[in-house]
Amino acid sequence: MGNQELLDQLQSKGFEAWMHTNDFVCFKFTVPHGKFKGIAIEIALSAPQFPIIPPSGPYIKPHLLPITNGGGVHPYGGIHGWNKPTLEFQYWSRPFNGWTSGMDVNDYLAFIRTLFDFE
């Protein structure tokens, strides 16, 4: 359970994924559409109770959007410079509302894809 389960599921889907620290799972991701289509990024996730509870919002490297530190709406609202897991990441405060029992990494990846659906 937790980050190890998330790591195992990402790797089983063919993602280049690794444990950054005990608190974060990182993986390489190519943005599939929108303003950043085709850009290769790293996503770091903290999911200590996965799959019971989804990861908190994603940490994105490199910085793609301006740091707003709260308020506002997607895509520009709620972008934080929390320096986790390193300075190169920015935190996108995007909770997965509606997560239910039985969901897995496929559901979370589908959610991640929606976060890039803007121009």
Side-chain angles (χ1 to χ4, degrees):
M1 188 165 96
N3 285 329
Q4 186 62 52
E5 176 67 21
L6 177 60
L7 176 64
D8 293 345
Q9 287 189 27
L10 284 165
Q11 289 175 336
S12 76
K13 298 295 175 193
F15 284 91
E16 182 181 342
W18 63 96
M19 196 73 72
H20 186 278
T21 65
N22 288 337
D23 296 330
F24 290 95
V25 173
C26 292
F27 65 101
K28 294 186 183 259
F29 183 81
T30 300
V31 178
H33 51 253
K35 180 176 184 174
F36 301 109
K37 180 180 181 176
I39 293 178
I41 63 172
E42 287 181 18
I43 297 176
L45 301 172
S46 180
Q49 295 183 337
F50 186 83
I52 297 168
I53 298 172
S56 63
Y59 293 79
I60 306 293
K61 173 185 173 182
H63 290 206
L64 297 177
L65 296 171
I67 302 293
T68 60
N69 288 320
V73 296
H74 181 70
Y76 297 101
I79 306 296
H80 302 271
W82 287 351
N83 304 330
K84 293 181 183 177
T86 66
L87 292 172
E88 296 97 355
F89 287 85
Q90 61 181 182
Y91 177 71
W92 290 19
S93 180
R94 306 289 186 269
F96 186 130
N97 297 319
W99 184 267
T100 59
S101 177
M103 288 185 158
D104 63 13
V105 75
N106 291 318
D107 300 292
Y108 196 78
L109 290 169
F111 168 70
I112 289 289
R113 288 180 190 98
T114 68
L115 299 181
F116 294 98
D117 195 14
F118 66 92
E119 290 294 330

